[in-house]
């Protein structure tokens, strides 16, 4: 078989490990693997396709980013370059894919990329999806690769902020990524011993956040750590956004940490500082967990291809990697269940969600 592989959407630690898994598992079967550069761009300008050999992927497991490059804003179903109007160039991609003699496409991406993969599946392309995102918002898989590394980075940052918060009797507000779900905020906040965690799933009341900070002071803790997910919003309020990258493009979230910090200062009189962790959470070497998950996903995709399981996404369910239909994995986000054990843990630890 000739396998094509691409990476789409924002980068996440572990992408290179998936590519390595795909290439080595395919070569073991005597198959060829071709890297499509920058999402689907390599299937438009077909000079941007690289044959991937075992030598090229030998030592990339621990390297962040993606050797294939990625693209957030070139959906072939509404393709645009510069200010040109959106056009559907998906037929050209299908034609090029067939002309190049590929037997399968392994599409590594988040929700947006998996939606595109689903559309191409419906156009007849043999696709296997692999769920990537630091946000961990994809259904039917227990976890996406990249999430664990992002949580580790955020936790380490929160740990460091404790000492400075304590030394100055300050409130430190840390804004983390996660788009419309609170997984990164919740996991890093609990692990980093935050006092308050604000997530999109629970609209917050700033008055209650301030009460928690006052309560801590009464108990002798004159500082506080507040973790705010970028998609968190106050009760009855709106998302805080940086704007849109381009007309019709995705909203860029950001700025809620600054707002929360300002309100805390106003309402409590406490000296407050805020920090936005931003893209640091997407960088660096993947954790052992993410490396292993990524290698498992990549090699499983080759087994799925051999078994003709197309239109499927590799998913971690309990201890196994299983195929699930891409169309069932997309469409609805995996939010934090409010009755989950992890939420109960946070509540039992006395963490405030501002509710
Ligand atoms: O989906 C991953 C993610 O890092 C989100 O957490 C964040 O909102 C978004 O991507 C940032 O996107 P960009 O890299 O386009 O700024």
């Amino acid at each position: 078989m000739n396998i094509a592989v691409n990476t789409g959407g924002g980068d996440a630690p572990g992408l290179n490990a998936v590519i390595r898994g795909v290439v080595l598992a395919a070569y073991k079967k005597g198959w060829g693997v071709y890297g499509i550069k920058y999402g689907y761009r390599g299937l438009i300008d077909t000079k941007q396709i690289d044959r991937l050999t075992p030598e090229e992927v030998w030592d990339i497991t621990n390297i962040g980013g993606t050797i294939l490059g990625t693209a957030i804003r070139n959906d072939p179903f509404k393709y645009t370059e510069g200010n040109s109007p959106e056009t559907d160039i998906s037929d050209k991609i299908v034609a090029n894919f067939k002309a190049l003699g590929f037997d399968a496409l392994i599409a590594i991406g988040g929700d947006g990329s998996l939606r595109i993969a689903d559309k191409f599946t419906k156009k007849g392309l043999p696709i296997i999806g692999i769920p990537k995102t630091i946000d961990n918002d994809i259904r039917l898989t227990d976890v996406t690769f990249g999430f664990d590394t992002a949580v580790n980075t955020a936790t380490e940052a929160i740990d460091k902020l404790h000492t400075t918060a304590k030394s100055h009797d300050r409130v430190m507000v840390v804004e983390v990524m996660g788009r419309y779900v609170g997984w990164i905020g919740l996991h890093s906040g609990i692990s980093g011993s935050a006092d308050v965690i604000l997530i999109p799933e629970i609209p917050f009341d700033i008055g209650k956040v301030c009460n928690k900070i006052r309560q801590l002071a009464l108990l002798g803790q004159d500082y506080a750590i507040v973790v705010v997910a970028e998609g968190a919003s106050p009760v009855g309020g709106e998302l805080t956004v940086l704007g849109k990258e381009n007309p019709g493009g995705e909203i860029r979230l950001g700025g809620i940490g600054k707002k929360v910090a300002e309100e805390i200062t106003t309402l409590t009189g406490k000296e407050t500082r805020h920090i936005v962790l931003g893209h640091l959470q997407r960088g660096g070497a993947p954790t052992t967990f993410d490396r292993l998950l990524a290698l498992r996903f990549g090699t499983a995709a080759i087994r799925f291809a051999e078994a003709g399981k197309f239109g499927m996404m590799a998913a971690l369910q309990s201890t196994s990697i299983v195929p699930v239909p891409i169309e069932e994995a997309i469409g609805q986000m995996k939010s934090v269940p409010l009755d989950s054990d992890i939420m109960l843990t946070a509540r039992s630890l006395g963490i405030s969600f501002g509710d």
Side-chain angles (χ1 to χ4, degrees):
M1 282 180 111
N2 281 322
I3 307 288
V5 56
N6 70 357
T7 53
D11 70 319
L15 280 166
N16 285 327
V18 178
I19 295 167
R20 182 172 186 264
V22 166
V23 172
L24 297 187
Y27 268 75
K28 198 131 192 284
K29 294 188 183 298
W31 300 354
V33 179
Y34 297 82
I36 312 292
K37 294 289 200 72
Y38 301 103
Y40 288 90
R41 208 189 301 163
L43 280 170
I44 304 164
D45 170 9
T46 52
K47 286 189 270 332
Q48 297 196 45
I49 296 180
D50 272 353
R51 194 180 156 92
L52 296 173
T53 60
E55 293 72 40
E56 274 166 278
V57 299
W58 199 250
D59 56 358
I60 63 171
T61 301
N62 61 336
I63 299 174
T66 162
I67 58 165
L68 296 177
T70 185
I72 299 193
R73 281 163 267 279
N74 61 9
D75 178 349
F77 291 86
K78 27 183 194 167
Y79 191 74
T80 171
E81 264 176 32
N83 288 329
S84 69
E86 288 178 356
T87 40
D88 180 349
I89 56 156
S90 57
D91 285 339
K92 186 175 176 192
I93 301 245
V94 172
N96 285 348
F97 182 89
K98 288 184 179 159
L100 288 163
F102 293 135
D103 300 295
L105 170 66
I106 296 177
I108 314 169
D111 189 59
S113 308
L114 291 170
R115 277 169 203 269
I116 296 170
D118 183 51
K119 286 190 189 169
F120 274 124
T121 297
K122 287 172 178 144
K123 275 182 161 275
L125 285 195
I127 297 194
I128 292 159
I130 295 188
K132 162 244 64 164
T133 167
I134 64 162
D135 304 333
N136 192 32
D137 58 356
I138 296 177
R139 290 176 64 235
L140 301 185
T141 184
D142 294 351
V143 70
T144 52
F145 75 85
F147 172 66
D148 187 65
T149 309
V151 168
N152 268 281
T153 301
T155 304
E156 207 179 304
I158 298 166
D159 282 348
K160 288 183 176 165
L161 293 169
H162 269 278
T163 47
T164 172
K166 200 170 178 176
S167 306
H168 290 266
D169 284 349
R170 278 176 175 164
V171 178
M172 297 298 300
V173 178
V174 192
E175 181 180 308
V176 298
M177 280 185 166
R179 280 200 85 73
Y180 305 114
V181 295
W183 292 105
I184 298 178
L186 183 63
H187 284 230
S188 63
I190 295 176
S191 310
S193 307
D195 303 294
V196 178
I197 302 175
L198 305 178
I199 58 174
E201 290 84 346
I202 306 178
F204 65 87
D205 174 343
I206 193 71
K208 292 188 174 160
V209 172
C210 292
N211 284 345
K212 173 73 185 179
I213 293 166
R214 289 191 199 100
Q215 219 176 58
L216 289 170
L218 288 175
L219 294 170
Q221 184 185 319
D222 283 320
Y223 68 94
I225 302 287
V226 179
V227 172
V228 188
E230 62 180 358
S233 56
V235 179
E238 297 194 339
L239 284 172
T240 306
V241 298
L242 295 171
K244 279 193 176 185
E245 189 100 310
N246 50 21
E250 278 251 39
I251 286 170
R252 289 183 63 212
L253 298 176
I256 185 67
K258 181 169 186 276
K259 274 193 193 169
V260 166
E262 284 167 358
E263 288 186 61
I264 290 173
T265 308
T266 308
L267 295 174
T268 66
K270 293 277 305 173
E271 202 176 37
T272 307
R273 296 286 185 269
H274 78 276
I275 176 169
V276 181
L277 296 188
H279 291 80
L280 277 177
Q281 293 156 99
R282 294 227 304 250
T287 57
T288 307
F289 179 88
D290 276 337
R291 293 179 200 197
L292 189 54
L293 182 60
L295 291 165
R296 290 171 78 193
F297 277 154
T299 51
I302 293 300
R303 293 194 295 275
F304 296 168
E306 187 169 38
K309 290 184 178 153
F310 298 117
M312 297 295 205
M313 179 187 89
L316 175 70
Q317 293 187 352
S318 185
T319 55
S320 305
I321 305 293
V322 295
V324 298
I326 295 176
E327 67 176 347
E328 287 177 24
I330 56 172
Q332 218 192 324
M333 276 175 304
K334 183 180 69 181
S335 305
V336 173
L338 299 186
D339 57 355
S340 59
D341 170 75
I342 196 103
M343 280 297 299
L344 299 179
T345 303
R347 299 267 189 206
S348 299
L349 291 170
I351 295 170
S352 164
F353 289 88
D355 60 344

